[in-house]
């Protein structure tokens, strides 16, 4: 059940941010668009009420995992801080809305257009996996667009790391994610599974949905069937999907998805193999080496200050009333210097020229 929009300004009297408008809400809390008084830039701020049951280990894990990621296709973490009523997470604002709205507004994307976005999704996932982060909730709604300017292809930004896990600390064992996108091994409640290969499956569902404007394992009759969800789960486990007749796809595109929709994760195509697939390679700059490109951002991420202990303190203080205005954002000067270096880097400029 979605949280109701706030009746009072959650940033009233805040020293740095001021509310511009309410954006959205979910079971976790709500999000507002805010202006940073120090820079004039826009940020999105997620607010989670400071109550037991709301502030959990999952919230702490979400912030910790998100805070270490620095990549053009991941929404940038800015800081977390406390107000009197809320734990707040400030992050980059993506003005173009989410991919679900973009896909439905266009009644599905042309294959070339969908490939353009899928290439970015795989770049982002490859980077996250190199950082030992499995997202576990890849879907259209959790993928944002940075802009909708006429004449410019928007860039995608992965957001929402609420179900993510750092596999350098522990292996995934809980069934999480969104029905319809979830891999068979997750639905079958295996005691351990590879979160990276589960992300590959979800990326395939997302690709199918982008191109076909429907989900591969759902049927129209499922909506009115009390056992509809059960039937969807069974189709996922058995890999029962169809190619829509009204949305013709190339043989290479179908080949890639057939290698993704494999029930046995050990036999499923990997992120590295996707990057070598002919359909995926089409249109990429010849000199783009994903390992080199993402290695650049892995190196930057590891250079960033380690805020893990400070973040844990803020999250845990969220359950103590009267504590507010604490924040964790890392070394601001270091971040400003790093962002400047990103823009000037020749690798970055070569890559962005592709867009």
């Amino acid at each position: 059940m979605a949280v109701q929009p706030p009746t009072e300004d959650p940033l009233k009297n805040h020293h740095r941010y001021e509310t511009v408008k309410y954006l959205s809400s979910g079971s976790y809390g709500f999000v507002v668009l805010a202006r940073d008084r120090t820079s004039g830039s826009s940020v999105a701020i997620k607010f989670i009420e400071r109550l037991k049951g709301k502030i959990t280990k999952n919230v702490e894990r979400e912030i910790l995992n998100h805070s270490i990621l620095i990549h053009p296709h991941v929404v940038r973490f800015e800081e977390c801080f406390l107000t009197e009523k809320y734990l707040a997470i400030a992050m980059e604002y993506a003005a173009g809305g989410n991919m679900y709205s973009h896909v439905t507004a266009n009644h599905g994307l042309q294959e070339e257009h969908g490939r353009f976005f899928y290439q970015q999704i795989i770049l982002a996932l490859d980077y996250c996996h190199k950082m030992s982060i499995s997202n576990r909730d890849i879907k259209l709604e959790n993928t944002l667009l940075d802009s909708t300017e006429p004449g410019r292809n928007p860039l995608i930004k992965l957001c929402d790391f609420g179900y993510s896990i750092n596999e350098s600390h522990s292996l995934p064992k809980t069934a999480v994610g969104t029905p319809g996108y979830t891999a068979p091994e997750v639905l079958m409640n295996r005691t351990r599974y590879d979160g990276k290969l589960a992300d590959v499956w979800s990326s395939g569902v997302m690709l199918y949905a982008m191109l076909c404007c429907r989900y591969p394992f759902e049927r129209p009759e499922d909506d009115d069937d009390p056992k509809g969800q059960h039937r969807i789960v069974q189709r996922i486990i058995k890999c029962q999907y169809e190619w829509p007749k009204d949305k013709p796809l190339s043989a290479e595109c179908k080949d890639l998805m057939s290698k993704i929709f494999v029930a046995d994760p050990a036999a499923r195509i990997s992120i590295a193999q996707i990057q070598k697939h002919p359909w995926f390679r089409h249109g990429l700059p010849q000199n783009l080496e994903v390992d080199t490109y993402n290695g650049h951002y892995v190196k930057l991420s590891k250079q960033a200050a380690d805020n893990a202990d400070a973040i844990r303190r803020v999250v845990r203080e969220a359950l103590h009333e009267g504590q507010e205005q604490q924040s964790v954002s890392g070394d601001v000067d270091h971040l400003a210097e790093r962002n400047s270096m990103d823009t000037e880097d020749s690798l970055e400029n070569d890559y962005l020229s592709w867009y």
Side-chain angles (χ1 to χ4, degrees), residues 35-178:
R35 188 181 75 87
D36 184 340
R37 291 189 178 96
T38 60
S39 65
S41 61
S42 297
V43 294
I45 304 181
K46 178 191 287 191
F47 291 91
I48 304 171
E49 199 167 2
R50 294 173 62 175
L51 296 173
K52 289 183 179 179
K54 292 284 188 179
I55 309 296
T56 65
K57 275 285 186 182
N58 289 339
V59 171
E60 179 180 286
R61 184 171 61 193
E62 172 186 1
I63 298 172
L64 287 171
N65 290 345
H66 192 181
S67 69
I68 67 172
L69 301 177
I70 302 167
H71 193 273
H73 297 310
V74 176
V75 164
R76 186 177 62 253
F77 172 87
E78 297 288 358
E79 66 171 324
C80 63
F81 59 92
L82 300 180
T83 69
E84 184 178 354
K85 292 183 178 181
Y86 302 103
L87 168 64
I89 308 168
M91 64 197 87
E92 175 184 8
Y93 174 57
N98 66 46
M99 278 298 297
Y100 180 85
S101 298
H102 184 69
V103 169
T104 54
N106 287 279
H107 307 289
L109 307 180
Q110 294 296 315
E111 191 169 319
E112 183 178 356
H113 195 194
R115 173 166 43 213
F116 169 75
F117 288 120
Y118 189 69
Q119 288 166 334
Q120 297 176 60
I121 292 163
I122 293 301
L123 281 170
L125 281 179
D126 177 75
Y127 162 77
C128 290
H129 292 174
K130 282 180 166 63
M131 292 295 295
S132 299
I133 303 296
S134 297
N135 184 283
R136 301 199 297 171
D137 199 21
I138 296 296
K139 60 181 179 179
L140 294 173
E141 295 87 339
N142 286 348
T143 309
L144 305 181
L145 302 175
D146 73 335
S147 174
T148 52
E149 296 174 17
R152 175 184 175 277
N153 284 323
L155 305 185
I156 67 99
K157 305 271 185 176
L158 294 187
C159 71
D160 198 336
F161 291 83
Y163 288 140
S164 66
I165 188 167
N166 189 322
E167 294 193 14
S168 66
H169 299 158
S170 61
L171 291 174
K173 58 183 178 180
T174 52
V176 299
T178 299

Side-chain angles (χ1 to χ4, degrees), residues 64 67-68 77 304-313 328-331:
L64 287 171
S67 69
I68 67 172
F77 172 87
D306 183 4
N307 288 324
D309 289 341
I311 286 171
R312 289 189 184 97
R313 283 197 300 272
V328 178
S329 60
D331 186 332

